Structures are given as C-alpha cells and as structure tokens.
Amino acid sequence: MILTVTLNTALDITYRTPVLVPHATHRVSEVVERPGGKGLNVARVLSALGHRTVVTGFAGGRTGDVLRELLAQCGDGRTGPSRSSMTSSTRPVDALVPIAGSTRRTIAVVDEATGDTTQLNEPGPTVSPAEWSAFLSVYDRLLTGADAVALCGSLPPGIHVGAYAELIRRARGAGVPVLLDTSGEPLRRGVAARPDLVKPNAEELARLTGSREPLRAARDARRRGAHSVVASLGADGVLAATPDGIWQATPPAPAKGNPTGAGDSAVAGLLSGLVERLPWPARLSRAVALSTATVLAPAAGEFDAEAYEDLLPRIAVTEHQAA
Amino acid sequence: MILTVTLNTALDITYRTPVLVPHATHRVSEVVERPGGKGLNVARVLSALGHRTVVTGFAGGRTGDVLRELLAQCGDGRTGPSRSSMTSSTRPVDALVPIAGSTRRTIAVVDEATGDTTQLNEPGPTVSPAEWSAFLSVYDRLLTGADAVALCGSLPPGIHVGAYAELIRRARGAGVPVLLDTSGEPLRRGVAARPDLVKPNAEELARLTGSREPLRAARDARRRGAHSVVASLGADGVLAATPDGIWQATPPAPAKGNPTGAGDSAVAGLLSGLVERLPWPARLSRAVALSTATVLAPAAGEFDAEAYEDLLPRIAVTEHQAA
C-alpha cells in the first residue's frame, strides 16, 4: 500500500467562462467539483495505475463532507482514464482525520477561449494541537502497512512549519521510504530531516538553494539532506540527482494543455516506480510520461491513459557524467 | 407579514485579495459566507427595519444546507446593523422549498486596495416540474397571510420564462400587492401580468422599453402593464412613475462604496413603505436612504443604520409636472 498525506486537502471547484474580466460580473457556464490537494491527486493517479493507496490528512465541515463523498465515488462516471481503469478495489482508501474547521475550497476559473486559468485558493482551516496529535497516531498506524509515503502540499494554519520534518523522521523510524513535495520553509525544514526523495519544481528548487542552475541546485539540495532529488522542469522533463547517478528525462515534444496536476502525476510515477523497484531511468520515464499525459488530458488533473502508453517508450533519458 | 420569493437563492461567498490578476494564482486572505439571492437580501433589510418577513423559493444540496443554517443565524454575531437590530422575532422565517439540485454559489472577489469586485455566479440547479408545483402550493398558502410579496432575481434552469407572470396573477388573485424585481424576458412577461410595482435599474428599464430616457421609459413600462414603476438610477436616486404622480428622489451627495445589495435595500424601503401606507414621497425617501446607506456600509449587502437615520431627512424629493 502507498500512503499519501495531504494536510491541507481542498474541494477543487472549476468554472468555465468565455474570458475573465476583472471587476466584471460573470455567469459561469460549467461547475465541476473534485477532491483536491496534491496528495489526493497523487493517490488518484496511483489508483489508476493499479496501486493500492490510502489517503490521510484532514477533512472537516460541509466542504469536507463533499470531498469525502467525491473521493468515495472516484472513477464513477468520470471523464478521463479513471472511469475505465479505476475500480473500487484500486480506489484510494479514505483515512482522513476529521477536524472542526471547514476544508478549504480552491476555485479555478478557466477562460474557454485560451484555457488560461485564474486560481483562487482559500487558506484552509486552522488545525488544533489536539487534531494534530490525533493525526500523528493515525499516521503512525498507517505507516506500519505502507510500502512508501508521500507528503504533499502546503501546511494549513495551526500546523508548525517543522511538521513535515517530524513526519519524515517518523517514516524513516518505521523504515518506510518517504517522498516530500512541498515548498518554502516547510521544504527547507523537511530536506534537513533527510527524506528519501524530494520533487521540487525549478522555482521551488531555486528558492531552496539560491541557484537557478538545475544541476547545481539539485546537488546542493542533496547536500542539504535529500537522499535523491527529482526536479520537474516543465517542458524540459525532469532532472534527477541520486546516489546512483544523474539523469535527465525529456518528453518527445513539449505538450500543450493544462499543467494542473502534472507535478502530482510525476510524483505518482516516481512513487510507483520506487515500490516496483524499477531502475531510475524507468522511474523517470514513467514520471515524465504521466505528467505529459496529464497536460494533454482534457480534464484538469486527470491523465490521458492512451497518451501515457504512447509516450512511455518515447521518453529520452540521458545520463550525466557526475562531475 | 411580508413575503419575499427567491427562486434562485445563492450561497454568497466573498474573498479578499490584494488585486485580482487574470491567469495568476491567488491566496485569498478572507472568506465570508452569507445567505444570498435578492429576495433574501430584501428580507434581511425588512427584518432589520422590524418587519416580520417570510422567505420562500428553493434550496438544495450541501450549499442549500449551509444557506439555511446561515439564515437561521441571521444577525447573530454579524457585523453591520443586523447584529444590533435583528432579533429572532424579526429574523426572516425560512419557508424555502427543498429541491434535489444544489443551491448555486456566487463568488465575489474584492480587491483590497480599491474595493472593486469581480463576480462569478453559478447558474443554479435545474428545478423539476414536480418541485415547481410543490413551490406553487407553498406560495399560495403563504399568500393568505401576506401584506405584500416581492418576486426577486433571476430564474433557475427548468423554470419557464413566464413563471413570474404566473406568480403575479396568483398574488393579484389573492389580493396581495406584488413587487417584481427582475430583468430581461422574465421582466417583460411579468410586467404584462400587471404587477403593482416594478423596480428596474436604468439598464433593465432601457432593455424593457428601448428608451434610455428614464421618464419616458418609466411611463412606457406603466403602459405595458406595471401599475407603478420605480427606476433606480444609481447616484441619481430613484424616479417613480405612479398613478398618483411622478417623483424623483435623490441623495444629498453621491455615495462612495460597494453598491452590492443597494437595489435590494431600495426594494425593502418601497415594500415597508407600502405596507405602512406611507405617501409616495416618504416611500421614495426611505428607499433612497436605505440604498445609499447600503453603499456606505463596510460589509457588502448590509446597510449602515446610523447613516440611514442621518440620510432619511436629507433626501430631496421633487414632483414632476405630469405631461
């Protein structure tokens, strides 16, 4: 089983409108709701790949209720690959911890003409110390059955900035490989706790290390404590700095589409490759094929299963000479 | 008792952000939820004025649950006048009819710097024929105890465009004075059913009559069937064309602030003046003072009770020579 942690889950709401005009009134033509937060997206892709997944983190209030209902229906009558490939047996298992506060909403306003998206993210509910300790005992229990764990996304109000570092130490103590995908100070503190893998994008990596040169920055992130670093470089694919070597994996062509969730699909590719003990080049090919197939999918955050199968053998993986 | 009808109720959500930038990602700093839809706003103002009000229309789904919870708490620990002046005895009574679909959300994104607001309105749930007939029997029952009824706002999907005309005929049949505040084809059909009063803004009046000259357009709207017409002209106050004469009421100075709900406050002023049998000039002064005090209030859709008391004697009402 693969465990994903989403401390700041969200009810993702997508609106479509011809074009967003500041200070004007818009009648939105379409409303789509889906369970959101990076770890939930990762689990959905892992499930579509046939992996057993458990999601934990926090959910509360009416929006939390809606999120859990949608999570229980994952793959039922949805567009995208999940409908065909996600069965109840591979659907993410809900181990979210209830809280008094209301799960946040995120609003994505998509311009129909261009596909450009304007994002409005609520900050999320304040988590109490009692709710945090309740989560920690659930987390420790789930670790005992986990082949790997992913810690994903931002921290809600009330959670101390060293929270991911604490969760990494507990995973390492339980002997469970741990991936961290976050940004800012939580990433900095987390890296120092020596996670097995971090997956920053170029911007997050530059903020962590001060260097905009990906290879130098990735190596620096390893020196700071990350066992391996896979930096997602958008259309340039990913750059991996690992104890076994340094690779870059690139898609055959830059994909045009909605990049929402592409990073989460890459995380799912890396995690699934890790538990399947694939060699690094195969893990990276899967990560890039999945993230590219996500950009190509019509529905934000879904991946196009056919495009994935087509892309997988066509990802170029080149090994760098370690300097 | 004053009855207000809101067929397309809404959960009004307000976000604050420094400035809205299309195609950028925003972390909103504040989230406020309130029960919305024009008729609910009208009822809230009537309640704050001490009138007994009943609200009907439709509510459904999780958003409908939240709306009804907030409606039941109206005036509890709220900012604005309602906290001080709205007691449980004057709180709007919930007679909303449950539906299978989910009550829509409206999102108002307020730029903190300027106060400018970008509005995103969901279309609303589709109402089934069975739900519409269930509403009609509730409506007929409520009319028997009503001193006046206001029909407010847009029609949700599934409701025929002549719905307001039908509700006007039933109110007239029950001998209950009826005010209509809507736009487009529902307004055109409604006016033909001879409502006692319509309150279009300048734009709606121009679309109804083809004339942008308010006095001519208001007279034309009366010829089309409206017994009286009160056109809201923004900073210029209101223009009333009635069987008793023609008046214009204007505030002492143009108000700077958020116009959200100003028209609904004007409707509340006209309705309360009608049931209190005030002469037209007093009704119009109250409508203009309330709408101006709403623009001046910090919270969208609330009115500033002190500003209202201060403005009321300072509204200029001039009678036109009927040509």
Side-chain angles (χ1 to χ4, degrees):
Chain A
M1 172 274 278
I2 299 175
L3 176 64
T4 74
V5 173
T6 316
L7 296 178
N8 208 1
T9 56
L11 180 64
D12 287 343
I13 301 169
T14 303
Y15 291 152
R16 297 195 163 275
T17 183
V19 59
L20 181 67
V21 180
H23 314 154
T25 295
H26 309 73
R27 171 68 63 102
V28 303
S29 59
E30 188 191 337
V31 181
V32 176
E33 291 185 339
R34 42 180 284 152
K38 286 167 147 299
L40 267 63
N41 300 339
V42 170
R44 201 161 36 231
V45 175
L46 285 168
S47 295
L49 293 172
H51 280 275
R52 285 180 48 250
T53 59
V54 175
V55 296
T56 188
F58 298 106
R62 300 278 185 182
T63 46
D65 295 340
V66 176
L67 180 140
R68 300 182 84 152
E69 285 169 6
L70 293 172
L71 191 59
Q73 299 156 15
C74 251
D76 300 349
R78 295 170 59 89
T79 57
S82 30
R83 171 195 270 152
S84 51
S85 58
M86 197 184 302
T87 67
S88 59
S89 64
T90 59
R91 190 174 290 159
V93 174
D94 178 349
L96 294 164
V97 174
I99 51 172
S102 278
T103 295
R104 68 192 176 125
R105 286 165 291 221
T106 74
I107 311 278
V109 186
V110 179
D111 288 5
E112 277 161 341
T114 60
D116 292 324
T117 299
T118 308
Q119 193 72 39
L120 296 160
N121 298 338
E122 297 183 1
T126 298
V127 177
S128 73
E131 290 164 339
W132 174 243
S133 1
F135 167 78
L136 286 177
S137 38
V138 169
Y139 177 70
D140 288 341
R141 179 168 51 71
L142 291 169
L143 280 177
T144 62
D147 303 312
V149 57
L151 311 175
C152 306
S154 61
L155 299 175
I159 300 283
H160 66 94
V161 70
Y164 280 137
E166 182 174 358
L167 298 184
I168 289 163
R169 283 189 292 271
R170 287 170 182 249
R172 290 168 52 79
V176 179
V178 55
L179 180 152
L180 176 63
D181 183 13
T182 186
S183 60
E185 191 58 21
L187 173 60
R188 182 181 307 277
R189 303 273 191 107
V191 164
R194 310 198 160 284
D196 295 85
L197 179 59
V198 294
K199 192 219 64 62
N201 59 32
E203 183 56 39
E204 291 159 351
L205 189 59
R207 261 186 288 142
L208 174 66
T209 64
S211 165
R212 293 205 156 274
E213 197 285 288
L215 181 54
R216 171 180 302 164
R219 285 178 164 148
D220 180 19
R222 291 199 63 217
R223 277 191 296 274
R224 289 164 183 266
H227 200 61
S228 296
V229 177
V230 176
S232 51
L233 307 175
D236 295 335
V238 300
L239 175 72
T242 83
D244 311 327
I246 292 170
W247 290 272
Q248 177 138 15
T250 51
K256 269 193 65 65
N258 186 341
T260 305
D264 303 329
S265 294
V267 167
L270 295 169
L271 271 178
S272 59
L274 182 153
V275 300
E276 295 169 35
R277 296 190 165 64
L278 299 182
W280 273 107
R283 297 186 198 181
L284 301 177
S285 298
R286 183 181 287 181
V288 172
L290 279 171
S291 58
T292 307
T294 301
V295 174
L296 294 170
E302 303 287 337
F303 75 92
D304 181 322
E306 277 181 26
Y308 167 63
E309 297 298 340
D310 169 67
L311 281 160
L312 192 53
R314 298 167 52 220
I315 305 299
V317 184
T318 56
E319 179 157 19
H320 287 239
Q321 298 314 317
Chain B
M1 173 272 280
I2 300 176
L3 177 63
T4 74
V5 173
T6 316
L7 296 177
N8 209 2
T9 56
L11 179 63
D12 287 342
I13 302 169
T14 303
Y15 292 153
R16 295 193 166 276
T17 183
V19 60
L20 181 67
V21 181
H23 314 154
T25 294
H26 309 74
R27 172 66 63 100
V28 303
S29 60
E30 189 193 334
V31 181
V32 176
E33 290 184 336
R34 41 179 285 150
K38 286 162 108 29
L40 267 62
N41 300 338
V42 170
R44 201 161 37 229
V45 174
L46 285 167
S47 295
L49 293 172
H51 280 274
R52 286 179 48 248
T53 59
V54 175
V55 296
T56 188
F58 298 106
R62 300 278 186 183
T63 45
D65 294 340
V66 175
L67 179 140
R68 300 182 85 152
E69 285 168 4
L70 294 172
L71 191 59
Q73 299 156 16
C74 249
D76 300 348
R78 295 170 58 90
T79 56
S82 31
R83 170 196 270 155
S84 51
S85 58
M86 198 183 301
T87 68
S88 59
S89 64
T90 58
R91 191 174 291 160
V93 174
D94 178 348
L96 294 165
V97 174
I99 50 172
S102 279
T103 295
R104 69 194 175 124
R105 287 166 291 222
T106 74
I107 312 276
V109 186
V110 179
D111 289 4
E112 278 162 342
T114 60
D116 292 323
T117 299
T118 308
Q119 192 73 36
L120 297 160
N121 298 339
E122 298 182 2
T126 298
V127 177
S128 73
E131 290 164 339
W132 173 243
S133 359
F135 167 79
L136 286 177
S137 38
V138 169
Y139 177 70
D140 287 342
R141 181 169 49 71
L142 290 169
L143 279 176
T144 61
D147 304 313
V149 56
L151 310 175
C152 305
S154 61
L155 298 176
I159 300 283
H160 67 95
V161 69
Y164 279 139
E166 182 175 357
L167 298 184
I168 289 163
R169 284 189 293 269
R170 287 169 181 249
R172 289 168 53 79
V176 179
V178 54
L179 180 151
L180 177 63
D181 184 14
T182 186
S183 59
E185 191 59 20
L187 173 60
R188 181 182 307 277
R189 303 274 192 105
V191 164
R194 310 200 160 283
D196 294 270
L197 179 58
V198 293
K199 193 219 65 60
N201 59 33
E203 183 58 38
E204 291 158 351
L205 190 58
R207 260 186 290 143
L208 174 67
T209 63
S211 166
R212 295 206 154 272
E213 198 284 288
L215 182 53
R216 171 180 301 163
R219 284 177 163 149
D220 180 21
R222 290 200 62 216
R223 278 192 296 274
R224 289 164 182 266
H227 200 61
S228 296
V229 177
V230 176
S232 51
L233 307 175
D236 295 337
V238 300
L239 175 72
T242 83
D244 311 328
I246 293 169
W247 290 273
Q248 177 140 13
T250 49
K256 269 194 65 64
N258 186 341
T260 304
D264 303 329
S265 294
V267 168
L270 294 169
L271 270 178
S272 58
L274 182 154
V275 300
E276 293 170 36
R277 298 189 163 66
L278 298 182
W280 272 107
R283 297 186 197 181
L284 302 177
S285 299
R286 183 181 285 181
V288 172
L290 279 172
S291 57
T292 308
T294 301
V295 174
L296 294 170
E302 303 287 339
F303 75 92
D304 180 323
E306 275 182 28
Y308 167 63
E309 297 297 340
D310 168 66
L311 281 160
L312 192 53
R314 298 168 52 220
I315 305 299
V317 183
T318 57
E319 180 158 18
H320 287 239
Q321 297 315 315

